Amino acid sequence: MSALSNNNWSRRSLFRAAAGMAAAGTLAACGSNNGRSGGGSGDSLTQYFHAYGEAGTEQAIKRYAKAYKDANVTTQWITGSNFENKLFPALLTKNAPDVFEFHPQLQLVTSGQVADLSDIINPVKDDFNPADIASHTVDGKIYGVRMIDDPQFFYYRPSLFEKAKVEVPQTLEELIEAVNKLTTDKVKGAFLGNDITPVQSPLIWSAGADTLNDKNEIAYHTDAVAEGLGQLRKLFTSGNLLLDAPADWWDPSAFTQGLTAIQWCGMWAMPVIQKALGDDVGIFPFPKVGSAGKFSVTNGGWSMFVNAKGDNVDAAKEYVKWLWIDQKKYQEDWALSYGFHIPPRTSIAQSATKLKSGLPAEGVKLFSEYGHFDNIGWTQAMIAAINDVIANSVRKGGSPDAALSAADKKVNAELKKLFG
């Protein structure tokens, strides 16, 4: 199940989405299915999910909800693009969901939108990946339960590498050289997403930088990041990148259909890729950028939150506890039956036989060694500012340093809102 499926949440400002959609009214048409999926009695709860791309996911979520006996749980399975453009305006209305999936965002906490879940998580806190706990914690309180961890890396075709006499790239320069050599009249060397933004954070990390430092200050504006943006521009203009693919980066079809020799995608796509290509598949992290460069892997994923402004907060917390803490069989099913994900629960991850050998095990290894988790202070508006950096410096050819400076103004404005 793709981390973004058919939506592009990271490329819109949360506040812009909420303001624009709130003006349009309530969310009567948000979901493709408004029918009751719960099988219990008592309180009525509504949960929001974006429409995952893999077959069986909607049925699974509704099956879990139906098994819950202490409330009637309705699932809004929201199709179309821009899930957050529907979620956040809904949170401003009387039709707001009681439970919803998203990513840790500090403004959800500071606005009082999400409930403190420390009381239900603390008893099993040590069984969660510590980085997942840290990314959901503010002032010692835990907001949100991680459901799945979704590493993202490069997939490649070893047979095409061998034919082109290309080695697995260790640096961004080597990646560019490999892409050029792998490109033929029928196959492009690489696919980094239709707008290149999926690799913006890995580029920063692989340049030895970060989005924010531990003092919540800008950490991405470095000479190495600017140099990396210049190299991406060179790659973009080479004619050897796949652009305007029928499906974006989260869908492996460009890779499995032979349109590209390398694709940035998530671990969720691994079963589909292996089914299509057999053993002719390898993976590698985003390569090093500059002299202080490091390999990096994006850890995406989704978390479950309780609407603190809802009418049924206690009942919603009980449901979240039941499904995402107590029901390990459902948590394992969700992580491993509809694509491959790494369960955030250590006990489940350690017993996940599907992840213990071959390419899945290599994905877990890359995740463990080079994975970068959510920063709860890195908001939608900040992500959008870096989207603009990619647009202005990589796609339009402007000065990387000027593009980063423009982003600095926007990010600093957001940091001032959050931290004063």
Side-chain angles (χ1 to χ4, degrees):
M1 91 197 45
S2 57
L4 299 185
S5 187
N6 58 358
N7 69 86
N8 223 6
W9 70 270
S10 65
R11 295 163 204 164
R12 296 289 187 273
S13 162
L14 179 153
F15 293 120
R16 184 170 66 232
M21 291 298 290
T26 60
L27 271 270
C30 266
S32 62
N33 187 313
N34 297 321
R36 193 177 77 182
S37 58
S41 59
D43 293 300
S44 293
L45 302 174
T46 300
Q47 59 180 356
Y48 271 24
F49 278 79
H50 80 285
Y52 289 85
E54 287 68 27
T57 50
E58 180 179 5
Q59 292 79 5
I61 285 296
K62 291 182 177 179
R63 184 175 70 252
Y64 308 155
K66 189 175 182 179
Y68 188 59
K69 302 304 180 183
D70 292 335
N72 292 309
V73 183
T74 298
T75 302
Q76 289 271 6
W77 191 255
I78 299 176
T79 61
S81 61
N82 304 325
F83 171 64
E84 79 283 4
N85 280 359
K86 293 174 178 151
L87 169 64
F88 287 98
L91 290 173
L92 303 177
T93 75
K94 64 180 181 180
N95 296 321
D98 299 286
V99 176
F100 61 91
E101 66 169 356
F102 204 63
H103 317 276
Q105 294 275 298
L106 185 58
Q107 65 267 50
L108 289 176
V109 177
T110 57
S111 67
Q113 188 67 70
V114 292
D116 174 12
L117 303 184
S118 302
D119 56 334
I120 65 173
I121 298 174
N122 277 334
V124 293
K125 178 180 176 180
D126 292 343
D127 191 37
F128 276 86
N129 187 316
D132 279 322
I133 294 293
S135 67
H136 292 70
T137 300
V138 178
D139 295 332
K141 298 178 180 179
I142 306 170
Y143 299 86
V145 181
R146 195 65 153 185
M147 300 183 294
I148 47 175
D149 283 322
D150 277 328
Q152 299 160 28
F153 30 62
F154 283 114
Y155 287 88
Y156 74 99
R157 297 282 299 278
S159 63
L160 298 181
F161 272 47
E162 183 178 357
K163 184 177 181 180
K165 296 181 172 56
V166 169
E167 300 292 331
V168 174
Q170 304 296 300
T171 66
L172 184 54
E173 292 95 333
E174 291 178 4
L175 176 62
I176 294 171
E177 182 179 356
V179 169
N180 294 340
K181 289 182 178 180
L182 289 162
T183 299
T184 68
D185 58 348
K186 295 182 179 179
V187 180
K188 291 293 186 180
F191 180 43
L192 310 183
N194 284 328
D195 62 5
I196 319 297
T197 59
V199 300
Q200 63 191 31
S201 291
L203 175 73
I204 291 169
W205 297 322
S206 284
D210 207 341
T211 51
L212 302 174
N213 62 23
D214 57 6
K215 295 181 180 179
N216 292 308
E217 300 167 336
I218 288 172
Y220 58 78
H221 193 161
T222 68
D223 290 342
V225 171
E227 179 185 347
L229 290 167
Q231 292 173 320
L232 275 189
R233 171 64 181 175
K234 180 179 178 181
L235 181 57
F236 180 77
T237 58
S238 69
N240 297 326
L241 277 184
L242 177 64
L243 302 171
D244 300 320
D248 212 344
W249 68 278
W250 45 263
D251 187 311
S253 57
F255 186 65
T256 58
Q257 293 174 11
L259 301 180
T260 182
I262 302 172
Q263 178 175 335
W264 183 263
C265 196
M267 190 167 171
W268 58 81
M270 198 172 281
V272 171
I273 292 173
Q274 289 185 301
K275 183 177 180 180
L277 301 175
D279 294 332
D280 190 21
V281 185
I283 55 176
F284 62 91
F286 198 92
K288 301 174 183 178
V289 178
S291 59
K294 304 174 182 178
F295 296 126
S296 68
V297 167
T298 302
N299 179 41
W302 292 87
S303 305
M304 188 54 58
F305 299 89
V306 169
N307 178 11
K309 298 181 180 180
D311 294 330
N312 301 301
V313 175
D314 290 339
K317 288 177 64 173
E318 284 301 314
Y319 172 64
V320 168
K321 177 181 182 296
W322 175 84
L323 179 52
W324 298 112
I325 292 179
D326 298 339
Q327 301 301 312
K328 285 190 173 184
K329 64 177 181 178
Y330 291 149
Q331 294 160 40
E332 181 175 4
D333 181 65
W334 187 240
L336 299 168
S337 297
Y338 316 96
F340 285 166
H341 316 261
I342 298 177
R345 299 286 293 273
T346 303
S347 58
I348 299 175
Q350 289 177 343
S351 64
T353 56
K354 293 180 179 180
L355 303 180
K356 289 190 177 299
S357 62
L359 199 64
E362 180 65 18
V364 173
K365 181 180 178 182
L366 293 181
F367 164 83
S368 300
E369 293 182 357
Y370 309 120
H372 287 261
F373 287 70
D374 292 305
N375 182 334
I376 197 169
W378 186 245
T379 69
Q380 299 294 101
M382 297 176 195
I383 292 169
I386 304 301
N387 292 167
D388 291 341
V389 170
I390 296 293
N392 293 327
S393 64
V394 176
R395 299 204 303 274
K396 297 179 182 178
S399 161
D401 189 63
L404 289 167
S405 294
D408 292 348
K409 295 179 181 179
K410 298 175 184 177
V411 172
N412 275 325
E414 291 301 311
L415 289 172
K416 186 174 182 179
K417 290 179 185 177
L418 289 172
F419 302 106

Short mmCIF file of all heavy atoms in Angstrom, two decimals, residues 178-203:
data_model
loop_
_atom_site.label_atom_id
_atom_site.label_comp_id
_atom_site.label_asym_id
_atom_site.label_seq_id
_atom_site.Cartn_x
_atom_site.Cartn_y
_atom_site.Cartn_z
N ALA A 178 25.42 7.02 -14.31
CA ALA A 178 24.71 5.77 -14.56
C ALA A 178 23.43 6.01 -15.36
O ALA A 178 23.12 5.27 -16.31
CB ALA A 178 24.37 5.09 -13.24
N VAL A 179 22.68 7.05 -14.99
CA VAL A 179 21.45 7.37 -15.70
C VAL A 179 21.73 7.64 -17.18
O VAL A 179 21.00 7.17 -18.07
CB VAL A 179 20.76 8.59 -15.06
CG1 VAL A 179 19.62 9.10 -15.93
CG2 VAL A 179 20.22 8.22 -13.67
N ASN A 180 22.80 8.35 -17.45
CA ASN A 180 23.15 8.65 -18.84
C ASN A 180 23.50 7.39 -19.61
O ASN A 180 23.10 7.23 -20.78
CB ASN A 180 24.32 9.62 -18.87
CG ASN A 180 23.95 11.00 -18.32
OD1 ASN A 180 22.78 11.35 -18.25
ND2 ASN A 180 24.95 11.76 -17.90
N LYS A 181 24.22 6.48 -18.99
CA LYS A 181 24.63 5.25 -19.67
C LYS A 181 23.47 4.27 -19.85
O LYS A 181 23.45 3.49 -20.81
CB LYS A 181 25.75 4.57 -18.89
CG LYS A 181 27.08 5.31 -18.95
CD LYS A 181 28.15 4.54 -18.18
CE LYS A 181 29.50 5.23 -18.27
NZ LYS A 181 30.57 4.49 -17.52
N LEU A 182 22.53 4.30 -18.94
CA LEU A 182 21.41 3.36 -18.98
C LEU A 182 20.33 3.77 -19.97
O LEU A 182 19.49 2.95 -20.36
CB LEU A 182 20.79 3.23 -17.59
CG LEU A 182 21.62 2.49 -16.54
CD1 LEU A 182 21.12 2.80 -15.14
CD2 LEU A 182 21.59 0.98 -16.79
N THR A 183 20.31 5.01 -20.37
CA THR A 183 19.26 5.51 -21.25
C THR A 183 19.45 4.98 -22.68
O THR A 183 20.56 5.04 -23.24
CB THR A 183 19.24 7.05 -21.27
OG1 THR A 183 18.96 7.51 -19.94
CG2 THR A 183 18.16 7.57 -22.21
N THR A 184 18.38 4.46 -23.25
CA THR A 184 18.37 4.00 -24.63
C THR A 184 17.21 4.67 -25.36
O THR A 184 16.51 5.51 -24.79
CB THR A 184 18.22 2.47 -24.72
OG1 THR A 184 16.89 2.11 -24.28
CG2 THR A 184 19.24 1.76 -23.83
N ASP A 185 16.98 4.28 -26.58
CA ASP A 185 15.86 4.86 -27.31
C ASP A 185 14.52 4.36 -26.80
O ASP A 185 13.47 4.93 -27.12
CB ASP A 185 15.99 4.59 -28.81
CG ASP A 185 16.05 3.10 -29.14
OD1 ASP A 185 16.24 2.28 -28.20
OD2 ASP A 185 15.92 2.75 -30.32
N LYS A 186 14.53 3.33 -25.94
CA LYS A 186 13.29 2.77 -25.41
C LYS A 186 13.16 2.90 -23.90
O LYS A 186 12.05 2.82 -23.36
CB LYS A 186 13.18 1.30 -25.80
CG LYS A 186 13.05 1.06 -27.30
CD LYS A 186 12.91 -0.43 -27.59
CE LYS A 186 12.75 -0.67 -29.09
NZ LYS A 186 12.63 -2.12 -29.41
N VAL A 187 14.27 3.06 -23.20
CA VAL A 187 14.27 3.08 -21.74
C VAL A 187 15.00 4.31 -21.23
O VAL A 187 16.12 4.59 -21.66
CB VAL A 187 14.95 1.81 -21.17
CG1 VAL A 187 14.94 1.84 -19.64
CG2 VAL A 187 14.28 0.55 -21.68
N LYS A 188 14.37 5.05 -20.34
CA LYS A 188 15.02 6.18 -19.69
C LYS A 188 15.85 5.66 -18.51
O LYS A 188 15.54 4.64 -17.90
CB LYS A 188 14.00 7.20 -19.19
CG LYS A 188 13.28 7.94 -20.31
CD LYS A 188 14.22 8.85 -21.08
CE LYS A 188 13.46 9.70 -22.08
NZ LYS A 188 14.35 10.60 -22.85
N GLY A 189 16.88 6.41 -18.18
CA GLY A 189 17.78 5.97 -17.13
C GLY A 189 17.16 5.94 -15.75
O GLY A 189 17.44 5.03 -14.96
N ALA A 190 16.30 6.91 -15.43
CA ALA A 190 15.73 6.96 -14.08
C ALA A 190 14.42 7.73 -14.07
O ALA A 190 14.14 8.56 -14.94
CB ALA A 190 16.72 7.60 -13.10
N PHE A 191 13.64 7.46 -13.03
CA PHE A 191 12.39 8.17 -12.76
C PHE A 191 12.41 8.60 -11.31
O PHE A 191 12.44 7.77 -10.40
CB PHE A 191 11.20 7.25 -13.04
CG PHE A 191 9.85 7.88 -12.80
CD1 PHE A 191 9.58 9.17 -13.21
CD2 PHE A 191 8.83 7.18 -12.16
CE1 PHE A 191 8.34 9.76 -13.00
CE2 PHE A 191 7.59 7.75 -11.94
CZ PHE A 191 7.34 9.04 -12.37
N LEU A 192 12.41 9.91 -11.08
CA LEU A 192 12.46 10.48 -9.74
C LEU A 192 11.14 11.12 -9.34
O LEU A 192 11.07 11.89 -8.38
CB LEU A 192 13.58 11.54 -9.65
CG LEU A 192 14.96 11.17 -10.15
CD1 LEU A 192 15.94 12.31 -9.91
CD2 LEU A 192 15.46 9.90 -9.49
N GLY A 193 10.08 10.77 -10.05
CA GLY A 193 8.80 11.43 -9.83
C GLY A 193 8.58 12.48 -10.89
O GLY A 193 9.53 13.05 -11.43
N ASN A 194 7.35 12.77 -11.20
CA ASN A 194 7.04 13.69 -12.28
C ASN A 194 7.50 15.11 -12.02
O ASN A 194 7.74 15.88 -12.95
CB ASN A 194 5.55 13.66 -12.59
CG ASN A 194 5.15 12.42 -13.38
OD1 ASN A 194 5.94 11.90 -14.16
ND2 ASN A 194 3.94 11.93 -13.15
N ASP A 195 7.61 15.51 -10.74
CA ASP A 195 8.07 16.87 -10.46
C ASP A 195 9.37 16.90 -9.66
O ASP A 195 9.79 17.95 -9.18
CB ASP A 195 6.99 17.68 -9.75
CG ASP A 195 6.61 17.11 -8.39
OD1 ASP A 195 7.25 16.14 -7.94
OD2 ASP A 195 5.68 17.65 -7.77
N ILE A 196 9.99 15.76 -9.47
CA ILE A 196 11.30 15.60 -8.81
C ILE A 196 11.23 15.79 -7.30
O ILE A 196 12.19 15.50 -6.58
CB ILE A 196 12.38 16.56 -9.40
CG1 ILE A 196 12.27 16.64 -10.92
CG2 ILE A 196 13.79 16.10 -9.03
CD1 ILE A 196 12.52 15.36 -11.65
N THR A 197 10.12 16.27 -6.76
CA THR A 197 10.06 16.57 -5.32
C THR A 197 10.20 15.35 -4.40
O THR A 197 10.59 15.53 -3.24
CB THR A 197 8.76 17.32 -4.96
OG1 THR A 197 7.62 16.53 -5.33
CG2 THR A 197 8.71 18.66 -5.68
N PRO A 198 9.89 14.11 -4.84
CA PRO A 198 10.06 12.99 -3.91
C PRO A 198 11.48 12.85 -3.36
O PRO A 198 11.66 12.28 -2.28
CB PRO A 198 9.67 11.78 -4.75
CG PRO A 198 8.71 12.31 -5.75
CD PRO A 198 9.23 13.68 -6.09
N VAL A 199 12.48 13.36 -4.08
CA VAL A 199 13.86 13.18 -3.61
C VAL A 199 14.41 14.44 -2.94
O VAL A 199 15.61 14.50 -2.65
CB VAL A 199 14.79 12.74 -4.77
CG1 VAL A 199 14.32 11.42 -5.35
CG2 VAL A 199 14.89 13.80 -5.86
N GLN A 200 13.57 15.43 -2.65
CA GLN A 200 14.10 16.67 -2.09
C GLN A 200 14.65 16.47 -0.68
O GLN A 200 15.73 16.99 -0.36
CB GLN A 200 13.05 17.77 -2.11
CG GLN A 200 11.81 17.51 -1.27
CD GLN A 200 10.71 18.54 -1.56
OE1 GLN A 200 10.59 19.06 -2.67
NE2 GLN A 200 9.89 18.85 -0.55
N SER A 201 13.97 15.73 0.14
CA SER A 201 14.50 15.49 1.50
C SER A 201 15.72 14.57 1.48
O SER A 201 16.72 14.87 2.16
CB SER A 201 13.40 14.92 2.40
OG SER A 201 12.42 15.90 2.67
N PRO A 202 15.70 13.45 0.72
CA PRO A 202 16.92 12.64 0.64
C PRO A 202 18.13 13.43 0.13
O PRO A 202 19.25 13.18 0.58
CB PRO A 202 16.54 11.53 -0.34
CG PRO A 202 15.08 11.46 -0.32
CD PRO A 202 14.57 12.82 0.04
N LEU A 203 17.90 14.34 -0.79
CA LEU A 203 19.01 15.17 -1.28
C LEU A 203 19.62 15.96 -0.12
O LEU A 203 20.86 16.05 0.02
CB LEU A 203 18.52 16.12 -2.36
CG LEU A 203 19.55 17.13 -2.88
CD1 LEU A 203 20.58 16.43 -3.75
CD2 LEU A 203 18.89 18.26 -3.65
#
